[in-house]
Amino acid sequence: MVIKIDEYSDVPIYMQIRNQIVMGISSGELKAGEQLPTVRALALEIGINTMTVSKTYQMLKSEGYIMTDRKNGARVRQQIEKTGIISDENKNELRRIVSEARISGVSKKDLQKLVDEYYAGNV
Amino acid sequence: MDLSMDIVLLIIMVPTLLIMFFYEYPSKWSERKFIFGVRNREEFKEEKAVLEIDKIVSKTRKQAIGFMICSFALMGLIMLIPDEMIRMTVLVFFIIADLFIFSIPFMRSNREMKTLKRELGIGSSGTTYADLKSAGTVHALKLTSIIIPNALTAIIFICALIFDLGVTGLSPAPEMTYALTAMTGSFLFTGLMLIPISIMMDHIRNEVISSDSDTNIAYNRAKKKVYADMFVLMSWINTGVVILYAILLFFVNNDMVLIIQMTAYLLLLMAALVILVKKSLAIDKRYRKETNIDVDDDDKWIFGAFYYNPDDRRLNVAKRMGIGGTINMAHPAGKIITIAFAVFIIATLAFMGFVVSLGKSTMKADIVDDTLVCNLVVDHYKIPLSDINDPELCEMKKGFYLSRQVGIGMEPYFIGKFIVNGEPGCEIFLNTETDYYVRFVVKGKTYCISGNSDEETKALFEALKTN
């Protein structure tokens, strides 16, 4: 899976990596149990500080997407907890996206179609 | 006029410029990954871009051919300089300058290519890609394959040392003392230096050329295999040349062995470089069709040759001009390396200037204020006359030999710590074109001093004896 980092984005780099790994897991590009690169290797590939990657992995671990151990490094969790709940943070994000779409004149049907596509994993 | 060293330098320069020309100034630019240090992109396939790039490439190639012809002509002219020392110095200065000058058309065209990019509205600078599957997992270097030739060189070095120390009971010819040890030692050092560099190159960042991870893995593995092969081949060439030197040393005189060895070494390196450059180009051509991600970091490459990216924490990156790796000059260690390299180049040139001034100056061993002062450009020894006892006037008879430990050994002047006729640690200040020298011992150290002529040496001896 290829991740893309925009150095000029307002979104911090650790969050950009986190978001793309989550999208990779959702779309199936990153399979359950798949090995992720070590903190050092990923930091070297992107050319960033190891602390940034470490922060991403800590975040993904606390959110239940990956598991880490000293022996095997980081892997995508075999079973990701399905709570069926959208977090407040994501609700706010979704509200912002819907609002922007409405202002831009995007129809509800088009927006729903897009949601269906993403939900099906056709990213 | 002895032109053997000039010919060796010519053997280096002609293929070097030709390789540089065919590698850096290609006519079929569409097959290349980089055009004068600017990444070849999909947008460059459009008609307008093709026409512009054709113009830039054609103009640059003409300039480069012009530079190359002028370089060869100038080298020929330099070889006509009768004074050997001035000729060699000018030639070395010229070679260093020429390697830079020959890159000027490349650097100019890099600027033109960047301008063209702006005119075409191309630019996505600030985007970095990383492949999670290939990160940290793609390697091609087998450490054993680079350790084996170096281990072999180390064994030869140890054997040479044992031989030179006389442990075997066989003694080398006096003038050859430590010649084999010094040569194998320097080649062993070069070989050992290659090990960490090869490891660094094997751990260099993987490039992302495609959205398909398997393509990225295959591409990076192929590129790293070229780097690994290059270092392994260089190590074997190193070892091969050491073996050649060790064998030839018993049959041919030392100066001739050196010339044969250096010529063979350089020719083998050039041949290896040609093979690896061809391999590297074939890989780029093969994967060009599968490239669907165009990273835009061209602006981070100054003149397409020097990488300066403060946002990148990597120290070493793959080169855009030439083959192999280079450093990120914005990295703290990169800054130190750059300064050290610049200091090294300046020091080398200054040292060469100093050597020329030594060669063109006159040796003086005079008594000034009850002190023996040995001067050649600068004062090398100042010995109070009260310390000098029982000076002897010695003759540099047939069989007289010197072997340098630390110091300057430049015909006819020899200054510093040398082995003199088997006696180690002698402080010498000698003009070997003369027949006599004065030998004396001060505080346990043996000194061998001569003037610039036999008359001066004899006069010095008389003066020292009287005192």
Side-chain angles (χ1 to χ4, degrees), chain B residues 4-52:
Chain B
S4 49
M5 274 313 287
D6 305 59
I7 291 164
V8 172
L9 288 175
L10 211 64
I11 290 170
I12 313 170
M13 274 311 279
V14 173
T16 303
L17 289 186
L18 286 171
I19 293 171
M20 274 177 82
F21 177 72
F22 288 112
Y23 193 61
E24 307 300 348
Y25 301 99
S27 55
K28 292 179 183 171
W29 57 267
S30 58
E31 291 171 359
R32 292 297 182 92
K33 189 175 173 185
F34 297 105
I35 312 163
F36 305 124
V38 169
R39 199 176 288 271
N40 199 350
R41 318 170 60 93
E42 275 301 301
E43 292 92 329
F44 291 162
K45 288 180 183 166
E46 288 164 19
E47 200 185 338
K48 188 190 167 198
V50 170
L51 285 172
E52 287 297 322

Side-chain angles (χ1 to χ4, degrees), chain A residues 1 3 5 7 44-45 47 49, chain B residues 126 128 130 132 205 213 313:
Chain A
M1 182 205 167
I3 58 170
I5 306 296
E7 287 164 26
L44 177 79
E45 290 295 300
N49 199 309
Chain B
T128 308
L132 293 184
R205 176 186 183 258
S213 292
R313 295 185 66 83

